[in-house]
Amino acid sequence: MSQKMLESSAISTFCDSVAAMFSAGIQVDEALSILSESSADKQFVQICAQAHRSVAAGASLSEALEQTGAFPSHVVGSLSAGEESGRVEEVLRGLALYYNEEARLFAKVRQSISYPAILFCIMAVIIAFAIVVVLPVFADVYTGFAGSLTAGSFSSLNVSVVVGWVALAVTIVCAVLCIAGSILARNENGRMRLIRFFEGMPLTRKAMYQLALSRFTSAFSTYLSAGTNVDAAMEYSMALVEHRGLRAKLKQTWRFMIDPNNPRSLQQAIFENNVFGTAYSRMLTIGAASGNLVEVLSSLSDIFFDDAVDQIDRTIDNIEPIMAAFMTVAVGATLIAVMLPLIGIMGSLG
């Protein structure tokens, strides 16, 4: 059994490919056989081959994927519901969209960490150059002028060294943290840790909530398209939410929906708990009334995702000038402190 989960992009490719072959009339075992021979990814090929053997032995597609251990419970559960309702192709297409969005999310997380990491590394090199190369040159020049540094000049040079080393230390710590984040972003567990960290940061808190909403609505849409009833789809989708704040709201929403004394509809419960916001709750109400709930949820998932990406982009855009200002102040303060001894020397010569 495979112990490593497939990447979101690979899951999306798998679901989209199998759905396309289903649409063309190709059976499950043949589709898995084709996939096991048409990829350069060794892990992907091995997983498809293992699933093909399970299906050939009489297992359903959902059972075969569960036996590989490479697919999340969300995929297995959705496919199982789709098999019971006879809507496997629709479920596969929904899963393909869901994990394609998740792959985009993780790519955005990597970008939001990698970019600051590069800038911090460049800043560290510049500040280190100023301390290691520039300061000794000035010290030699001062010694040549005055024979030796006076007490005041020596003190000023020490200030410049301290300022430079403090700036360098802060820059290196920030660079190491960003590099560690980039390494964590290479696997699913690490990415989820980073997302939980960003949930508590003021600049990214709202974006993380929007991303969690996008994941929830996409999963909800997938379960509904598989024929799952609204209450059960709500429960299953809620279990996939990692965001603590959103999960608390969804739990309260679900309690409202199953309240034996005063049960609310999905749209009413979501509105009362302010899960989506007023405008998006109205969209949900219109979708439910017109019989297009699945389509509206899919649209909302795209809206929430795009909104979160825009917020992350704005955060990155705001970080760049802050980092540039920090580097300018650090290097400028160091060089100004270096110039102080020269002022003292020129005053004594005058």
Side-chain angles (χ1 to χ4, degrees):
M1 177 180 290
S2 174
Q3 298 297 320
K4 183 179 180 182
M5 301 288 283
L6 281 174
E7 290 287 330
S8 300
S9 57
I11 296 175
S12 176
T13 299
F14 175 87
C15 294
D16 193 42
S17 300
V18 174
M21 284 187 271
F22 276 8
S23 179
I26 299 175
Q27 297 299 315
V28 179
D29 56 345
E30 186 178 355
L32 293 173
S33 176
I34 293 173
L35 285 177
S36 66
E37 298 171 355
S38 59
S39 176
D41 187 334
K42 292 183 179 180
Q43 183 197 8
F44 188 84
V45 168
Q46 291 173 356
I47 291 169
C48 290
Q50 182 181 348
H52 174 256
R53 290 192 295 269
S54 297
V55 170
S60 65
L61 178 59
S62 61
E63 292 171 341
L65 298 188
E66 184 177 18
Q67 290 170 12
T68 65
F71 291 85
S73 58
H74 174 217
V75 174
V76 175
S78 298
L79 276 177
S80 179
E83 288 167 345
E84 292 179 3
S85 62
R87 305 173 72 175
V88 175
E89 183 179 338
E90 291 88 340
V91 171
L92 284 169
R93 294 196 183 280
L95 288 170
L97 290 174
Y98 176 87
Y99 284 97
N100 181 57
E101 288 186 356
E102 189 170 85
R104 289 170 58 198
L105 160 62
F106 290 154
K108 180 58 64 174
V109 170
R110 286 194 295 269
Q111 178 185 348
S112 65
I113 297 173
S114 300
Y115 181 67
I118 293 172
L119 287 182
F120 276 123
C121 289
I122 294 173
M123 289 168 58
V125 171
I126 293 174
I127 296 174
F129 178 81
I131 297 172
V132 176
V133 177
V134 176
L135 288 182
V137 171
F138 274 93
D140 292 340
V141 171
Y142 296 156
T143 302
F145 267 118
S148 63
L149 291 175
T150 64
S153 299
F154 185 78
S155 176
S156 298
L157 190 59
N158 276 343
V159 169
S160 66
V161 173
V162 170
V163 170
W165 280 112
V166 169
L168 180 61
V170 172
T171 304
I172 290 176
V173 169
C174 292
V176 169
L177 291 175
C178 289
I179 292 172
S182 298
I183 295 173
L184 282 175
R186 294 181 180 178
N187 62 77
E188 186 174 358
N189 290 333
R191 286 191 288 260
M192 296 313 299
R193 291 194 189 98
L194 287 174
I195 289 175
R196 284 193 290 270
F197 170 76
F198 288 143
E199 287 173 6
M201 301 296 291
L203 292 177
T204 54
R205 186 177 299 152
K206 185 178 179 182
M208 293 301 104
Y209 183 83
Q210 295 296 97
L211 286 174
L213 272 181
S214 175
R215 290 167 61 89
F216 164 73
T217 50
S218 182
F220 200 177
S221 173
T222 300
Y223 279 117
L224 289 177
S225 66
T228 308
N229 66 65
V230 174
D231 289 349
M234 179 69 179
E235 183 180 8
Y236 298 153
S237 303
M238 182 175 60
L240 299 173
V241 175
E242 300 286 343
H243 192 284
R244 296 176 182 176
L246 178 59
R247 177 181 289 182
K249 287 186 177 182
L250 293 175
K251 284 184 177 180
Q252 185 64 24
T253 300
W254 188 59
R255 293 191 192 101
F256 280 18
M257 293 170 63
I258 62 174
D259 186 351
N261 298 320
N262 183 26
R264 281 81 148 183
S265 64
L266 169 67
Q267 55 272 24
Q268 184 180 1
I270 284 180
F271 175 77
E272 290 182 9
N273 288 279
N274 194 30
V275 177
F276 288 172
T278 303
Y280 298 135
S281 295
R282 288 174 181 169
M283 287 180 61
L284 193 66
T285 301
I286 294 171
S290 62
N292 296 316
L293 183 58
V294 173
E295 291 78 2
V296 169
L297 285 169
S298 297
S299 298
L300 286 174
S301 178
D302 293 337
I303 292 171
F304 293 144
F305 183 87
D306 292 338
D307 186 33
V309 169
D310 289 341
Q311 291 181 43
I312 292 174
D313 286 338
R314 287 196 295 270
T315 300
I316 294 174
D317 292 340
N318 291 333
I319 288 175
E320 182 179 1
I322 292 174
M323 295 174 63
F326 172 78
M327 182 177 66
T328 301
V329 170
V331 175
T334 302
L335 294 179
I336 290 173
V338 168
M339 298 300 295
L340 293 178
L342 180 60
I343 295 175
I345 294 174
M346 296 301 293
S348 61
L349 292 177

